[in-house]
Amino acid sequence: MDKQFIHPMLPQATHDELARQNFVQSLKKHIFQNIAPGNKVIYETVAKPRFEREHQRPPQNRHEIRKVMQQEPQYRWWGALKRLNQEMLWDAVNASVERQLPDLIERAKDKGGELGTLTLDPNFQVPAYETAVDIHCMPGGYHSEFATNDVAAGAIYDRGTYVYGVGWLGPLNDDMGLSIVENYLKPEYPNFQPKKILDMGCSVGHSTLPYVDAYPDADVYAIDIGAPMLRYAHARAEALGKRVHFSQQNAEHTNFADGSFDLVVSHILLHEIPKPAIRNVMHECYRLLAPGGMMIHVEAPLYSHMDAYTAFVYDWETANNNEPFWSAMRDLDLAALVTEAGFASDKVIQKFVPNGAWQAKVSSNNSQNGRLGSRGSWFIVAAIK
């Protein structure tokens, strides 16, 4: 039920490659279930009391907690294992993709009769904030190309996302887009029927395709900075029978006309770009939306939504896992950036949307009754023009 859906573009692992990927998943579960809880115990019984003796007060923020926890062997061991597991993930997936890359490149080529389109810009300049670091330790990030018509980054991301998440985004890795459609847009805006939709920072289109199904009469566009991501995304969408117009663009400044879209969305884009870029994206969304149109940006919770210890745990990604903008974004007042972009303050929405819509979909397809249960929620910042 929760196995990744095998579509024609998905890289196929050999027995040994799959065993290695399964080990990465098992190790991840072990770290999360059996080692991570010990950090809270050490904090409450050792690190926090030591800080209180030294400062005559408890730690007040994630920075103070990290400073005192970095002295603890338990925390250092957990962090080392987490980072090692992340690197092992990419190695395990990369080996499979590299072996079959020529075939994947060939499969991705347009054969005629495509449903959607792919537009790449040979002169496109990838932003320096993306080239400066391999985001979340993925070798080469989203944009690097090592072969003609390269699709490696897309193939690695498609399989790697499933292995990383241990399948929790569903067989098509599409829970973000699907949950926004099924658990937010349809129940809260049943009469909203966008005719033109844009997905910003689409990567391989995991979250894009649910909008194609939800609004079959709409023209769906998707943009990203990475050419290898987009080649793979286009081929994947075609293989799944979905019509999407992919193009290589920076979400800060697109080439679409003013008022072009009724719905503009993004899914975990904001935490991968710096604050000035986030501000530009909000302004661009306002420009692109037609009157009455809506933007929705999907993210994980902000630090204002959590206690200091939980924020400290989240902050590990910035400190140790090549997520330079992860914490800076979570410190922002996103509503202020949205109103600064031109949206009326009473039209700004911040809320949590239940995730797990893919589980209900799988349940329905298997003729079972009811949901299998949500594992949490997605945070959204949205606005209506």
Side-chain angles (χ1 to χ4, degrees), residues 129-143:
Y129 56 75
E130 290 296 322
T131 60
V133 61
D134 286 349
I135 199 76
H136 45 63
C137 300
M138 177 175 159
Y142 298 149
H143 61 280

Side-chain angles (χ1 to χ4, degrees), residues 159-176:
R159 180 57 183 161
T161 297
Y162 190 86
V163 175
Y164 173 83
V166 199
W168 80 291
L169 291 175
L172 285 166
N173 290 322
D174 63 354
D175 188 70
M176 276 180 281

Side-chain angles (χ1 to χ4, degrees), residues 43-358:
Y43 173 65
E44 294 290 351
T45 62
V46 179
K48 183 181 178 184
R50 185 174 69 246
F51 185 95
E52 290 173 337
R53 287 193 300 270
E54 294 175 359
H55 300 276
Q56 304 304 307
R57 62 172 177 82
Q60 296 179 342
N61 54 52
R62 68 182 190 273
H63 305 293
E64 291 186 343
I65 294 175
R66 175 148 60 94
K67 186 175 181 180
V68 70
M69 283 294 285
Q70 282 179 328
Q71 303 173 43
E72 299 300 330
Q74 154 76 24
Y75 174 71
R76 293 162 68 94
W77 174 236
W78 169 80
L81 282 176
K82 243 175 94 74
R83 174 60 184 246
L84 177 63
N85 186 243
Q86 183 80 352
E87 294 175 356
M88 289 175 65
L89 157 71
W90 299 122
D91 283 345
V93 175
N94 285 357
S96 177
V97 171
E98 184 177 0
R99 174 180 55 79
Q100 55 199 305
L101 184 56
D103 183 51
L104 291 171
I105 290 174
E106 186 60 31
R107 275 187 262 167
K109 291 180 180 177
D110 283 350
K111 305 297 192 299
E114 281 69 34
L115 297 169
T117 59
L118 172 64
T119 305
L120 301 179
D121 180 359
N123 299 314
F124 184 81
Q125 294 295 313
V126 177
Y129 56 75
E130 290 296 322
T131 60
V133 61
D134 286 349
I135 199 76
H136 45 63
C137 300
M138 177 175 159
Y142 298 149
H143 61 280
S144 297
E145 299 187 64
F146 304 101
T148 304
N149 298 319
D150 201 354
V151 297
I156 291 166
Y157 189 77
D158 193 4
R159 180 57 183 161
T161 297
Y162 190 86
V163 175
Y164 173 83
V166 199
W168 80 291
L169 291 175
L172 285 166
N173 290 322
D174 63 354
D175 188 70
M176 276 180 281
L178 192 62
S179 289
I180 294 306
V181 165
E182 298 296 333
N183 297 339
Y184 180 62
L185 283 172
K186 285 189 174 181
E188 299 203 20
Y189 301 92
N191 297 321
F192 182 54
Q193 293 294 320
K195 295 299 182 183
K196 200 170 180 181
I197 301 170
L198 174 64
D199 185 10
M200 292 177 155
C202 65
S203 65
V204 299
H206 287 150
S207 297
T208 313
L209 302 192
Y211 297 92
V212 179
D213 292 334
Y215 304 106
D217 295 329
D219 289 324
V220 178
Y221 292 76
I223 62 174
D224 200 273
I225 61 165
M229 282 281 194
L230 290 165
R231 292 189 192 98
Y232 186 91
H234 172 61
R236 178 180 180 274
E238 294 294 319
L240 292 170
K242 312 299 182 184
R243 183 173 182 264
V244 180
H245 302 292
F246 293 97
S247 60
Q248 187 177 18
Q249 298 194 56
N250 186 331
E252 295 182 65
H253 306 286
T254 71
N255 63 14
F256 300 112
D258 294 359
S260 295
F261 296 94
D262 304 303
L263 177 62
V264 177
V265 297
S266 79
H267 310 84
I268 58 169
L269 165 68
L270 301 184
H271 80 252
E272 294 192 352
I273 59 178
K275 181 179 177 178
I278 295 174
R279 178 181 286 111
N280 289 340
V281 166
M282 297 301 181
H283 281 270
E284 185 68 351
C285 288
Y286 187 82
R287 183 186 74 81
L288 291 174
L289 283 173
M294 180 186 298
M295 77 167 184
I296 304 173
H297 298 285
V298 184
E299 271 293 345
L302 304 180
Y303 286 144
S304 60
H305 299 137
M306 59 189 79
D307 60 74
Y309 181 82
T310 305
F312 150 73
V313 174
Y314 265 75
D315 192 44
W316 184 90
E317 300 292 336
T318 286
N320 301 287
N321 201 36
N322 283 22
E323 291 279 13
F325 312 117
W326 172 282
S327 285
M329 188 283 294
R330 283 174 169 72
D331 271 333
L332 292 177
D333 181 347
L334 290 176
L337 292 181
V338 172
T339 55
E340 177 188 310
F343 293 93
S345 59
D346 63 346
K347 298 291 187 180
V348 180
I349 302 148
Q350 294 187 86
K351 68 178 301 178
F352 288 89
V353 174
N355 66 17
W358 71 268

